[in-house]
Structure formats: structure tokens, C-alpha cells
């Protein structure tokens, strides 16, 4: 397998294959479900920047090794840094990650992400912003951050807010899992290709000598199918989702769902209510505000705001829920986080607003996004 550039140790976590005008990047930490660590993010950023300038690269394919595309950012490492008293190192991780997300969202060449497995959190950040997202019958998508005391980041307030109706609020607040057919239906995926046809699709893509989006689209279309949604898909609940998740506050969303549940015994309603009640109250409130603001902002503005928010989360002055969520879910695995504030009504508007403000901390700086030029129409539309 041909590799690119220098021969540093972290190269092994991103494998590079060269075919004529195509570069295939494989996320290669299968035992960690390809969770993105700092080295992988830096490597991807370096590669994508180099490929954009290289006339011999027309198309970039991104995929994951094993049963995951990418299960998210390596937040355990970030929490370790916070616990050591160094939240700024954690902030540096997110700064690099969000810069990569912005580059992919405004990329001038086609990116095809093959999502044959788990796509969560940071994994969505390195794929959903790209032009083509290929789901399969093995795809599992989720933004599970509210259960961890975090919020859907990596530019999720941009793409969740642009899903049909209020489906983005539903997905972002509950952390619900979507399969490949649901990803296609709501627009998170652009195509659905059965996993048995992926090798044929990749073979066809590797012969491409063009960056023309229409040409790439036509190739993927050849291998695509229109899958049927499973009988109990949340996508069939769109009426209830729009009715409840369009409410102004998290409390109102929850009571609207509970009102629906008194009228009909429905397993979906029960699990949706349960997911909200288990999540961090602070996370739910900042996540809802973030998605709502994202509807009216470009992708760069969303990332700048999310960077402010994540720095407040890491610093832990208003709430230490991220630390506690990671302890309960990832470290001790007792799955019993003690959120503080413990109830939605104890989270004041003033607390929520603080997450959206600049940090009053010596040496802290806003997220500086790289200048972008010669952008395709698809990228300009996102600004």
C-alpha cells in the first residue's frame, strides 16, 4: 500500500492507497472502532490539504477498517487531560478536529465516505460534511453526546438543523441510532449501496480521472439501491416528532411527548422519553439551543460557536457533566451518571447562555478557520 509524505508512527492509523487520480484513506484503529485520536485528525488534515493542491488527485475516498467507519472522537484521552487539570490540551484536540470538519465541508474536490458500519460523533464529522456519503445495511449512525454530558459537535448543529422538519432535534437530543435506510431517507447519506457491492463500487471509483461531481454521482448511482425502511422506523413518526420536537424548550418537548404517550401506548414514545430523562439536563438545553441557532448559520459560524461551547464544557465551570458522563459510560461503566444540575428546571437560561459566550480566560482564542478560495458552488452554499 503506497503511503504519502513522511514516515511517522501515526501513519499506521490512517492507511493511504494511491490509484492514478484517486486516494483512498482507511481509518485504521479497528480495535478502538477507529475512534479519532489527535494523530489521526492531524494526519487527515495534512492529507486533505495536500490533496486539494495536488492536480493529480481528483477524488478522495474515506472508509474504516473492521466493523466501524468511525465511532467518534477519542474523548477518553480528552477526559484524562481534564482530570490532569489541563483542559486546554483537550481544547487543542477539538480545535484541530473542527478545522478538519470545516475543510471537508468546503472541500473543492469530491469526497466519498463509505459508511459500512458504526458512524458516530466525530465519525460523522469526517464524513457527513463531504459531498457523497454511502450507507449500507451495516450502517449505524448516532450523535450520542447528550448521554455523555457533551452536545452534538463537529458541525452537527449545521447538518442536524438541515434534516427534514425537526428530525435533527430528535436525533441530536435523544442520541437515537439510525440505520442505513433511515440515513438515506433523512439525507444524512446520499446513497445506499449493499455491502456486497462495495468492492465493485470502489473499483469503479478508482478508475476516475475527473473531479466532476456529476460523474462521481453517476458512478455511485449505478451501484445504489433504494432500501425499504423497517416497519418500526422512527422516520414513520415524523408527525409526532415535528409536533413535539418543534417546541420551544426541552421541558415543553418532554411534556408534549408524555402527553402523546398518555393517549397511545407506544414503545417508540417510551424509549424516546427515557432517552431524554437519562441524558444530562445541561447537555439537552445547550444542544437544543445550538441546533436552533445552527439553522440560521453557515457551517463556519456553527463550528466557531461549537468551539466556544466545547471549551466551556471542558473547563467545567458551569457544569462538570462531561467528566461525570465519561466516568459513568466510558471509564467505570456503571451507566449511572450523577448529573449536576440534576433536573431540567434547575438549569437556568443564564447557565445556558454562558456556554455561547467567549471564554474569559487569559490566552484563550476563538476558533480561527482557514481562509478558503476557489470553492465549488456546493461549498459556497454552506457559508
Amino acid at each position: 500500500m503506497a503511503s504519502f509524505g513522511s514516515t511517522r508512527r501515526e501513519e499506521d492509523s490512517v492507511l493511504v492507497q494511491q490509484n492514478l487520480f484517486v486516494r483512498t484513506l482507511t481509518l485504521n484503529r479497528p480495535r478502538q472502532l477507529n475512534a479519532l485520536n489527535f494523530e489521526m485528525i492531524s494526519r487527515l488534515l495534512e492529507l486533505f490539504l495536500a490533496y486539494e493542491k495536488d492536480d493529480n488527485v481528483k477524488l478522495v475516498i474515506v472508509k474504516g477498517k473492521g466493523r466501524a467507519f468511525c465511532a467518534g472522537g477519542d474523548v477518553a484521552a480528552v477526559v484524562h487531560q481534564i482530570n490532569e487539570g489541563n483542559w486546554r490540551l483537550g481544547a487543542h484536540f477539538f480545535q484541530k478536529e473542527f478545522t478538519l470538519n470545516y475543510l471537508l465541508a468546503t472541500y473543492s474536490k469530491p469526497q466519498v465516505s463509505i459508511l459500512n458500519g458504526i458512524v458516530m460523533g466525530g465519525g460523522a464529522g469526517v464524513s457527513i460534511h463531504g459531498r457523497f456519503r454511502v450507507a449500507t445495511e451495516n450502517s449505524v449512525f448516532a450523535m450520542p453526546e447528550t448521554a455523555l454530558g457533551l452536545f452534538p459537535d463537529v458541525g452537527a448543529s449545521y447538518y442536524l438543523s438541515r434534516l427534514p422538519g425537526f428530525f435533527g432535534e430528535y436525533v441530536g437530543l435523544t442520541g437515537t441510532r439510525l440505520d442505513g435506510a433511515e440515513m438515506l431517507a433523512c439525507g444524512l447519506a446520499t446513497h445506499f449501496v449493499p455491502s456486497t457491492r462495495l468492492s465493485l463500487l470502489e473499483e469503479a471509483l478508482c478508475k476516475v480521472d475527473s473531479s466532476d461531481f456529476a460523474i462521481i454521482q453517476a458512478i455511485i448511482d449505478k451501484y445504489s439501491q433504494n432500501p425499504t425502511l423497517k416497519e418500526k422506523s422512527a422516520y414513520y413518526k415524523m408527525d409526532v416528532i415535528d409536533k413535539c420536537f418543534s417546541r420551544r424548550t426541552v421541558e415543553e418537548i418532554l411534556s408534549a411527548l408524555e402527553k402523546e404517550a398518555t393517549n397511545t401506548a407506544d414503545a417508540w414514545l417510551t424509549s424516546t422519553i427515557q432517552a431524554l430523562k437519562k441524558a444530562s439536563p445541561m447537555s439537552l438545553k445547550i444542544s437544543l439551543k445550538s441546533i436552533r441557532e445552527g439553522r440560521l448559520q453557515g457551517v463556519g459560524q456553527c463550528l466557531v460557536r461549537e468551539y466556544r461551547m466545547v471549551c466551556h464544557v471542558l473547563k467545567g465551570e458551569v457544569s462538570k457533566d462531561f467528566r461525570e458522563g465519561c466516568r459513568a459510560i466510558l471509564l467505570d461503566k456503571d451507566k449511572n451518571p450523577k448529573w449536576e444540575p440534576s433536573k431540567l428546571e434547575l438549569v437556568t437560561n443564564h447557565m445556558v447562555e454562558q456556554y455561547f459566550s467567549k471564554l474569559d480566560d487569559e490566552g484563550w482564542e476563538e476558533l480561527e478557520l482557514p481562509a478558503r478560495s476557489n470553492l465549488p458552488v456546493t461549498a459556497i452554499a454552506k457559508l
Side-chain angles (χ1 to χ4, degrees):
M1 198 167 266
S3 71
F4 170 94
S6 58
T7 53
R8 293 169 309 181
R9 189 183 55 75
E10 68 261 23
E11 273 196 0
D12 298 340
S13 59
V14 180
L15 304 175
V16 181
Q17 188 182 343
Q18 299 192 7
N19 292 81
L20 297 171
F21 297 104
V22 179
R23 299 294 176 269
T24 302
L25 307 182
T26 305
L27 306 177
N28 184 36
R29 292 178 78 210
R31 285 172 60 192
Q32 293 84 9
L33 301 178
N34 301 323
L36 296 170
N37 58 21
F38 187 77
E39 287 76 24
M40 289 167 86
I41 290 166
S42 305
R43 185 78 183 127
L44 289 168
L45 191 55
E46 180 189 355
L47 289 165
F48 271 97
L49 284 167
Y51 294 157
E52 194 163 50
K53 294 189 194 97
D54 186 344
D55 293 340
N56 290 319
V57 179
K58 310 277 189 193
L59 165 70
V60 185
I61 298 170
V62 185
K63 58 183 191 172
K65 191 165 194 171
R67 66 190 183 92
F69 169 77
C70 171
D74 193 352
V75 291
V78 174
V79 170
H80 177 71
Q81 287 156 351
I82 298 174
N83 290 336
E84 297 279 300
N86 200 344
W87 68 270
R88 296 215 172 210
L89 270 179
H92 188 49
F93 172 91
F94 286 100
Q95 182 234 334
K96 201 82 156 173
E97 185 178 28
F98 291 7
T99 303
L100 174 64
N101 300 145
Y102 183 66
L103 177 65
L104 300 184
T106 57
Y107 209 57
S108 60
K109 295 177 183 182
Q111 174 191 347
V112 177
S113 300
I114 296 176
L115 309 175
N116 187 32
I118 298 164
V119 190
M120 294 185 184
V126 294
S127 56
I128 306 300
H129 291 297
R131 179 63 184 83
F132 299 106
R133 290 95 58 190
V134 178
T136 75
E137 76 283 1
N138 299 318
S139 300
V140 183
F141 175 93
M143 295 302 291
E145 287 82 4
T146 60
L148 274 179
L150 194 55
F151 61 92
D153 59 339
V154 296
S157 62
Y158 178 81
Y159 60 75
L160 290 179
S161 63
R162 281 156 180 78
L163 298 185
F166 292 86
F167 199 66
E169 273 90 337
Y170 163 64
V171 169
L173 295 182
T174 64
T176 193
R177 295 180 170 203
L178 304 177
D179 63 20
E182 291 168 320
M183 289 175 72
L184 183 71
C186 74
L188 285 165
T190 57
H191 295 79
F192 182 98
V193 174
S195 60
T196 50
R197 307 191 75 185
L198 286 179
S199 55
L200 292 170
L201 169 63
E202 283 184 59
E203 211 175 296
L205 287 172
C206 284
K207 293 176 182 151
V208 163
D209 66 350
S210 165
S211 281
D212 186 329
F213 289 97
I215 289 172
I216 311 296
Q217 168 101 24
I219 292 170
I220 309 172
D221 284 348
K222 260 186 222 162
Y223 298 90
S224 296
Q225 286 183 359
N226 225 340
T228 44
L229 287 165
K230 59 179 185 253
E231 195 188 335
K232 292 195 158 78
S233 170
Y235 212 68
Y236 291 131
K237 307 281 186 189
M238 210 45 137
D239 289 355
V240 185
I241 287 171
D242 283 352
K243 187 174 167 186
C244 299
F245 282 87
S246 58
R247 300 299 169 98
R248 198 176 55 83
T249 66
V250 180
E251 289 92 334
E252 287 169 24
I253 289 170
L254 200 48
S255 70
L257 287 162
E258 285 171 335
K259 191 175 166 195
E260 290 290 323
T262 56
N263 302 336
T264 46
D266 181 329
W268 175 82
L269 276 168
T270 310
S271 70
T272 301
I273 291 164
Q274 278 312 108
L276 291 174
K277 287 188 167 171
K278 267 169 71 174
S280 150
M282 182 66 80
S283 288
L284 290 173
K285 290 207 171 183
I286 64 174
S287 299
L288 181 62
K289 182 172 166 64
S290 178
I291 293 166
R292 297 269 157 97
E293 289 198 1
R295 264 198 186 88
L296 306 171
Q297 293 179 324
V299 69
Q301 291 170 297
C302 285
L303 286 162
V304 168
R305 171 176 42 71
E306 288 176 15
Y307 183 67
R308 284 185 184 184
M309 292 171 70
V310 88
C311 287
H312 280 288
V313 167
L314 297 175
K315 202 175 172 198
E317 279 192 339
V318 190
S319 163
K320 295 184 172 42
D321 278 359
F322 179 49
R323 241 176 265 201
E324 174 59 12
C326 289
R327 180 206 62 74
I329 310 292
L330 303 176
L331 303 172
D332 299 346
K333 301 191 174 155
D334 58 43
K335 298 200 164 87
N336 189 23
K338 302 275 183 281
W339 304 126
E340 191 57 51
S342 59
K343 297 191 183 87
L344 285 167
E345 56 269 30
L346 298 175
V347 179
T348 65
N349 285 344
H350 174 66
M351 286 175 181
V352 173
E353 290 298 337
Q354 280 177 263
Y355 283 86
F356 293 76
S357 64
K358 293 182 181 183
L359 265 79
D360 184 16
D361 205 87
E362 202 186 331
W364 181 84
E365 288 176 359
E366 292 262 39
L367 179 66
E368 276 284 331
L369 294 169
R372 309 288 292 131
S373 56
N374 305 324
L375 295 180
V377 177
T378 50
I380 292 167
K382 296 181 185 176
L383 302 176

